[in-house]
């Protein structure tokens, strides 16, 4: 039992420490993610669209099509929300992305806003997430010369050289909040507490 508890504590520490290195990452709530919708596409084609947004217990599932103007060329769609966001106290924007399509898709995060009356768009590097896999995306604010207190929109992009193998144009993507480091530590403390309680009961 001691070995099990030690392994549990170590696991919690290993998971939480990398996230604690980020002072204050921002991740949208499930309710905000569930309000994400179609923002734009590149290139503009009649076939690129968002069909459905399904609310989940954590985040939402997005289903749609992406069509290029020329078969076998890059195409993307932007999903997100607009509003007024003050992200000046955060050092990054993070989102958990799950790809439930049968092919890989590429993803990136973005924010839009205004700095001195001039519109800006900042996005993270594209990351490929394989089919059936989940990844955590991060848009680092370090060194950005933009007004983070005046963010007007945020969300994520889905893209690829389309069609994907098997003539696939359809994406099925789940977006969810990334747990805060404090939440992870509380969960770990709770698990350790349960373990100690069980050990005392057996003793």
């Amino acid at each position: 039992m001691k070995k099990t508890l030690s392994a549990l504590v170590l696991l919690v520490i290993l998971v939480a420490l990398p996230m604690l290195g980020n002072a204050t990452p921002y991740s949208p709530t499930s309710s905000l993610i569930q309000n994400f919708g179609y923002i734009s596409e590149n290139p503009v084609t009649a076939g690129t669209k968002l069909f459905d947004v399904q609310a989940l217990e954590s985040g939402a599932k997005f289903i749609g099509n992406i069509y290029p103007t020329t078969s076998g060329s890059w195409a993307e769609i932007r999903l997100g929300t607009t509003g007024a966001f003050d992200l000046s106290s955060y050092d990054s924007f993070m989102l958990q992305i799950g790809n439930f399509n049968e092919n890989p898709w590429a993803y990136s995060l973005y924010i839009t806003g205004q700095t001195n009356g001039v519109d800006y768009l900042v996005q993270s590097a594209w990351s490929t997430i394989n089919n059936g896999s989940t990844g955590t995306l991060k848009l680092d604010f370090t060194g950005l010369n933009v007004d983070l207190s005046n963010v007007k929109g945020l969300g994520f992009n889905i893209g690829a050289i389309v069609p994907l193998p098997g003539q696939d144009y359809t994406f099925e993507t789940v977006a969810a909040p990334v747990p805060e480091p404090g939440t992870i530590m509380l969960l770990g403390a709770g698990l350790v507490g349960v373990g100690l309680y069980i050990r005392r009961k057996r003793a």
Side-chain angles (χ1 to χ4, degrees), residues 66 74 76 99 104-108 126-129 137 157-160:
I66 300 178
W74 177 268
E76 63 187 72
N99 177 11
W105 285 94
Y107 299 87
S108 67
W126 288 92
S127 298
T128 298
I129 298 179
L137 302 186
N157 306 299
I158 309 173

Side-chain angles (χ1 to χ4, degrees), residues 112-122 145-147 150-152:
T112 60
Q114 284 192 338
T115 299
N116 299 324
V118 178
D119 292 338
Y120 69 78
L121 164 66
V122 179
N145 189 24
V146 298
D147 183 3
N150 196 23
V151 173
K152 300 296 185 183

Side-chain angles (χ1 to χ4, degrees), residues 76-175:
E76 63 187 72
I77 187 171
R78 176 162 293 158
L79 306 177
T81 187
T82 57
F85 304 92
D86 183 356
L87 303 185
S88 57
S89 61
Y90 299 95
D91 68 349
S92 60
F93 165 31
M94 298 179 71
L95 199 60
Q96 195 173 72
I97 297 290
N99 177 11
F100 289 87
N101 184 251
E102 61 265 26
N103 288 291
W105 285 94
Y107 299 87
S108 67
L109 302 182
Y110 79 90
I111 58 171
T112 60
Q114 284 192 338
T115 299
N116 299 324
V118 178
D119 292 338
Y120 69 78
L121 164 66
V122 179
Q123 71 178 44
S124 65
W126 288 92
S127 298
T128 298
I129 298 179
N130 291 322
N131 47 307
S133 298
T134 299
T136 299
L137 302 186
K138 178 181 176 182
L139 172 54
D140 195 343
F141 295 158
T142 305
L144 290 184
N145 189 24
V146 298
D147 183 3
L148 291 171
S149 68
N150 196 23
V151 173
K152 300 296 185 183
L154 54 84
F156 64 99
N157 306 299
I158 309 173
I161 295 177
V162 189
L164 298 171
Q167 297 297 304
D168 194 358
Y169 298 87
T170 304
F171 61 84
E172 294 183 50
T173 294
V174 169

